[in-house]
Amino acid sequence: MNLTSSLIASGQESEAVEASVNYAMQASGAFTWMWLLIAFPLFGAAFLLLAGRRTDKWGHWLGVAMSLASFATAVVMFFAMIASPDADRSQTLHLWDWIAVGRFEVPIALHLDQLSMTFVLLITGVGSLIHIYAVGYMAEDPARRRFFAYLNLFVAAMLLLVLADSYLVLYFGWEGVGLASYLLISFFQYKPSAAVAGKKAFVVNRVGDIGMSIAIMLMFVTFGSVTFEGVLGNVGMASETANTWIGLMLLLAACGKSAQFPLQSWLLDAMEGPTPVSALIHAATMVTAGVYLIVRSGPIFEAAPTAATAVIVIGAITLMFGAIIGCAKDDIKKVLAGSTMSQIGYMMLAAGLGPIGYVFAIFHLVAHGCFKANMFLGAGSIMHGMNDQVDMRRFGALRFVMVGTFITFSAGWLAIMGIPPFAGFFSKDKIIEAAFMHGWIPGLVAAIGAGITAFYMTRLWTMTFTGKARWTEDNQHPHESPKIMLIPIAILAFLSVSIGFILAYGDAIINWLTPVTGYAEQETVLNHYIIEYGTLAMVIAGAVIAYLQYRRDVPITPPQHVSALTTAARRDLYGDAFNEAVFMRPGQWLTRSLVFLDSRVVDGAVNGVAALAGGLSGRLRRLQTGYVRSYGLWMLIGAVVLLGFLILVRV
Amino acid sequence: MTPEYYIILSAILFTLGALGFLVRRNAIIVFMCVELMLNASNLAFVGFANQWGNLDGQTIAFYVMVVAAAEVVVGLAIILMIYRTRRSASVDEPNLLKF
């Protein structure tokens, strides 16, 4: 069955490649073992949670081993996939039948193709490095075993998400990563801020999940199936309206999971979690699930231009939103979180562009996973050496005391800015170029966003590593982190430098993903070279401005008399205030009035009837005096009344 | 003989019986008042039977007498038992069966 990739912009010279997906291919050979990918970390999580304290001493190594085992399996699968021809690269492994009710049949099946393979390698690869790093980072935490159990749970759920063969199984993994994210954000449960942040992430994600469940219901109503094959293969049979609604609901789901506007508010608070969690879940993997969902559901969006445009708009808004927040924050992790939002905005933008952008969305996702994990781990390394200080105004001159962190972080910094030949240059420039293929507005937003990215990342880099030391606490002796933390960072730094080139060499990533996602090229509205050099000029300008401004003395307390935009950005562009005013307060008012209605009106009516019956019977009871003669009198009265009545009626 | 006289006499007797039932306390008197009411109705039955010239009313009167006799048997026994236990035949005293 062929899914013809339709082009969003028409009337332009274009070259489209058909995405042919062979869903019917039953897994064979090495691929029959793909369930091991999930089984390893799932076993690790279950074992560590059930075995209890007696595994405290070595539990973390089990977690690392399970993650590495999964990675090794993934590598085997990868080579098996490379060895097979294009047509055989899409493999489905049917595990068992889950639900079979009438027409509604959902088997538990795994689907491994080039797109899932890319994700599996990213999740298990970066995941394993972060597991190793966390052994050092969490060394002094008494609950380290629990931490590793949750990390393994996360990896298992995330792998289920990307390996699912139907939307319902994907939803299962989707909720699993949400649960793991919640557990890990509020890992330091004794801190009220962490507990609240976890709850906030959970609640905001539920809003997105509503979109997911509605989308799945709509799919079943429209297509009578929820498997990728049944839905994506029959998109042409559904009306555009149905496709648009499914697309918009999927976008809502993606917004929740990927912290896109307007469901972005939870990601900044999620930084309350331990730094390895921020690196793995809230930068490299989980938050990119929304992009995966959009790319995987590509045919739906291609059939529904309105929904695709909505994806582009959301991506563009979030891209700027995150970048502006990143410029004003002083907390190093929050700057990186704002940056993550912004970069995922790029990916969403690219995913909304259709076949001209899918490949680059995934390309940037992989590159971002490497360099952002690198920088988050670097930030963790800095915090490790600075008594968990996160305020960049109290850093400065760290390049002398934390050489390894400095070098690796610089690699990530150059990569995210898109300086050639680092990773971001290849991936982000391609997205900007694709955005210009779509039109002026997305193109310009993406290009300006690149300039702002350079500004805030250079601000972070300058405030942290250069200038004078502004360490204010007496007991602060910044020191380099142990090797077990530095080596994973170094590997990620190497990837930050090289992965862009590796994947872009000979259009490797394009050729790899095209069979699944399709690929098309269009004329850009602006000359290719102008885009490339213009973006680079903007990046350099942003970096230079930030460097000149923050090289000088940075006040330890943030200046109060600043522009309205800075104030707004410091307060997350009033995202929380908006939610509070528009959703929380009316919601509280509604619940209070409902409680009032329930306790006074509904309960009042029920209790009133009971009280009336009780009181009335209490009074009627008094008629039973026990005196025979009074009964006699009542009988007489009754007889007389009856008689009088009969006579009256007769007359 | 016009039936009015029977009816008037029957009504007077019934009213006396009812009044006696309501105002007297002695169980025996109350009982006799009940009998008076029954016999007042018997008189009405017989009077009407005589007027219409059929036996239905007279038959009913016999029934009433039989029921009244049976009732006397049971009622007097109950009154006797109450008197034995309470040493009184007042109908107001055994008023325990109430709210």
Side-chain angles (χ1 to χ4, degrees):
Chain A
M1 157 194 49
N2 290 326
L3 311 173
T4 310
S5 312
S6 62
L7 291 172
I8 289 175
S10 58
Q12 283 174 315
E13 218 176 295
S14 56
E15 174 198 334
V17 180
E18 270 186 358
S20 61
V21 183
N22 187 358
Y23 285 105
M25 184 81 194
Q26 268 300 323
S28 58
F31 295 111
T32 48
W33 294 96
M34 69 170 92
W35 58 273
L36 274 178
L37 287 169
I38 299 170
F40 278 126
L42 195 63
F43 167 77
F47 183 83
L48 289 177
L49 284 175
L50 295 176
R53 289 213 187 86
R54 68 198 72 131
T55 59
D56 270 355
K57 283 210 175 94
W58 48 271
H60 47 281
W61 291 116
L62 179 79
V64 172
M66 287 300 129
S67 182
L68 280 173
S70 190
F71 178 58
T73 319
V75 170
V76 171
M77 299 281 154
F78 176 64
F79 283 110
M81 191 177 272
I82 285 190
S84 44
D86 260 4
D88 293 351
R89 286 185 178 177
S90 186
Q91 301 267 353
T92 303
L93 177 65
H94 180 268
L95 294 180
W96 69 84
D97 287 322
W98 183 21
I99 301 173
V101 184
R103 283 199 304 140
F104 189 59
E105 282 182 21
V106 183
I108 295 274
L110 303 180
H111 179 73
L112 189 69
D113 57 15
Q114 291 93 324
L115 180 60
S116 350
M117 193 70 241
T118 313
F119 270 87
V120 168
L121 283 174
L122 177 75
I123 294 160
T124 54
V126 174
S128 298
L129 289 173
I130 290 172
H131 271 76
I132 296 168
Y133 173 93
V135 170
Y137 187 84
M138 302 296 283
E140 276 128 51
D141 199 296
R144 179 163 65 168
R145 174 186 53 82
R146 189 162 57 89
F147 180 79
F148 275 85
Y150 292 162
L151 271 192
N152 268 350
L153 176 67
F154 167 76
V155 171
M158 188 74 200
L159 288 171
L160 182 64
L161 196 165
V162 297
L163 285 173
D165 152 270
S166 71
Y167 282 95
L168 205 63
V169 178
L170 180 146
Y171 194 26
F172 198 76
W174 188 268
E175 292 300 311
V177 293
L179 169 69
S181 161
Y182 163 75
L183 291 170
L184 285 164
I185 292 171
S186 46
F187 184 73
F188 301 129
Q189 314 147 323
Y190 46 84
K191 269 179 22 193
S193 59
V196 170
K199 238 189 279 180
K200 183 173 176 183
F202 205 76
V203 170
V204 176
N205 267 295
R206 289 287 78 65
V207 178
D209 293 345
I210 289 172
M212 188 74 180
S213 48
I214 294 177
I216 292 175
M217 292 176 211
L218 283 176
M219 282 169 194
F220 181 65
V221 171
T222 315
F223 303 108
S225 165
V226 294
T227 58
F228 290 151
E229 185 185 1
V231 173
L232 303 178
N234 297 322
V235 163
M237 294 177 200
S239 67
E240 191 180 321
T241 320
N243 280 325
T244 304
W245 279 107
I246 293 174
L248 289 177
M249 288 299 123
L250 288 174
L251 174 62
L252 178 65
C255 282
K257 196 58 87 194
S258 292
Q260 298 293 292
F261 181 83
L263 298 177
Q264 81 291 351
S265 62
W266 65 273
L267 186 62
L268 290 160
D269 288 14
M271 295 301 126
E272 287 289 342
T275 308
V277 171
S278 309
L280 177 60
I281 301 183
H282 305 120
T285 54
M286 186 192 83
V287 286
T288 58
V291 180
Y292 171 78
L293 185 69
I294 304 277
V295 172
R296 178 60 87 189
S297 314
I300 292 175
F301 288 94
E302 283 158 39
T306 319
T309 310
V311 177
I312 298 177
V313 171
I314 294 286
I317 291 176
T318 316
L319 187 169
M320 294 307 268
F321 206 92
I324 291 169
I325 291 175
C327 291
K329 289 281 177 187
D330 291 327
D331 179 329
I332 186 169
K333 284 182 74 180
K334 295 215 166 167
V335 175
L336 289 173
S339 160
T340 303
M341 268 166 64
S342 171
Q343 299 302 313
I344 297 171
Y346 270 107
M347 298 168 209
M348 290 294 259
L349 174 66
L353 294 173
I356 54 175
Y358 292 145
V359 172
F360 304 121
I362 301 301
F363 186 8
H364 193 53
L365 194 157
V366 173
H368 173 260
C370 295
F371 62 66
K372 189 52 71 62
N374 167 24
M375 283 192 284
F376 258 115
L377 295 187
S381 167
I382 294 165
M383 286 162 63
H384 196 71
M386 297 281 283
N387 289 345
D388 283 338
Q389 176 64 269
V390 289
D391 188 354
M392 296 192 300
R393 294 180 185 276
R394 313 243 165 171
F395 291 167
L398 288 177
R399 69 177 182 279
F400 301 114
V401 285
M402 306 176 89
V403 182
T405 307
F406 168 67
I407 294 169
T408 52
F409 201 100
S410 301
W413 166 60
L414 292 168
I416 192 173
M417 284 199 299
I419 303 285
F422 295 91
F425 168 73
F426 294 98
S427 57
K428 205 196 287 176
D429 263 27
K430 285 289 188 186
I431 290 182
I432 295 171
E433 202 178 303
F436 271 112
M437 286 178 196
H438 187 69
W440 279 99
I441 297 174
L444 283 177
V445 170
I448 293 169
I452 303 179
T453 306
F455 177 83
Y456 68 73
M457 284 318 297
T458 310
R459 174 175 176 270
L460 187 158
W461 183 84
T462 313
M463 282 171 90
T464 307
F465 292 108
T466 68
K468 281 187 203 147
R470 298 181 298 275
W471 322 327
T472 45
E473 288 169 39
D474 294 336
N475 60 348
Q476 221 155 41
H477 305 292
H479 55 84
E480 189 57 280
S481 303
K483 283 219 169 56
I484 194 162
M485 290 167 67
L486 275 183
I487 290 169
I489 305 182
I491 296 171
L492 285 168
F494 171 73
L495 287 172
S496 308
V497 174
S498 61
I499 192 132
F501 182 73
I502 295 172
L503 293 182
Y505 183 73
D507 288 338
I509 184 96
I510 297 175
N511 296 335
W512 172 251
L513 285 176
T514 298
V516 183
T517 60
Y519 178 63
E521 267 181 28
Q522 276 174 231
E523 287 293 310
T524 49
V525 292
L526 201 60
N527 184 289
H528 172 78
Y529 291 103
I530 297 179
I531 297 171
E532 197 159 313
Y533 289 112
T535 309
L536 198 58
M538 220 155 355
V539 165
I540 291 170
V544 169
I545 293 170
Y547 181 72
L548 292 178
Q549 191 173 350
Y550 294 99
R551 179 186 55 148
R552 292 168 303 182
D553 280 344
V554 177
I556 283 175
T557 50
Q560 292 307 312
H561 301 287
V562 289
S563 66
L565 185 62
T566 313
T567 318
R570 276 184 190 162
R571 301 188 52 192
D572 308 343
L573 292 178
Y574 301 116
D576 286 339
F578 178 82
N579 286 346
E580 197 173 307
V582 176
F583 299 112
M584 194 193 92
R585 297 212 179 282
Q588 280 181 334
W589 181 84
L590 186 70
T591 45
R592 269 197 217 113
S593 46
L594 282 178
V595 167
F596 178 82
L597 196 74
D598 182 53
S599 62
R600 295 293 156 85
V601 179
V602 177
D603 284 5
V606 173
N607 292 341
V609 168
L612 187 74
L616 215 62
S617 51
R619 279 178 183 76
L620 278 174
R621 206 165 54 123
R622 297 280 153 191
L623 292 177
Q624 297 276 329
T625 53
Y627 292 112
V628 177
R629 294 185 303 142
S630 68
Y631 299 159
L633 182 62
W634 282 115
M635 274 170 75
L636 188 68
I637 292 171
V640 168
V641 168
L642 206 63
L643 215 63
F645 179 75
L646 284 175
I647 289 168
L648 273 179
V649 170
R650 284 288 291 276
V651 172
Chain B
M1 271 292 245
T2 49
E4 280 89 18
Y5 299 120
Y6 295 109
I7 302 302
I8 291 166
L9 179 63
S10 167
I12 291 169
L13 286 177
F14 189 89
T15 312
L16 281 174
L19 274 175
F21 181 85
L22 291 178
V23 298
R24 295 307 296 265
R25 273 186 219 138
N26 190 323
I28 303 292
I29 306 283
V30 168
F31 207 68
M32 283 162 65
C33 289
V34 172
E35 295 301 316
L36 196 58
M37 284 190 281
L38 286 171
N39 283 315
S41 55
N42 271 353
L43 184 59
F45 276 124
V46 175
F48 282 120
N50 188 36
Q51 188 192 352
W52 300 114
N54 67 10
L55 289 175
D56 290 358
Q58 298 193 17
T59 319
I60 300 274
F62 277 112
Y63 272 115
V64 172
M65 273 185 231
V66 171
V67 171
E71 179 211 328
V72 165
V73 172
V74 178
L76 274 179
I78 292 172
I79 291 168
L80 204 64
M81 290 311 291
I82 289 174
Y83 182 78
R84 276 200 188 156
T85 48
R86 299 185 158 266
R87 312 303 303 163
S88 145
S90 165
V91 288
D92 280 1
E93 266 178 50
N95 64 348
L96 294 175
L97 198 68
K98 62 179 177 183
F99 54 83

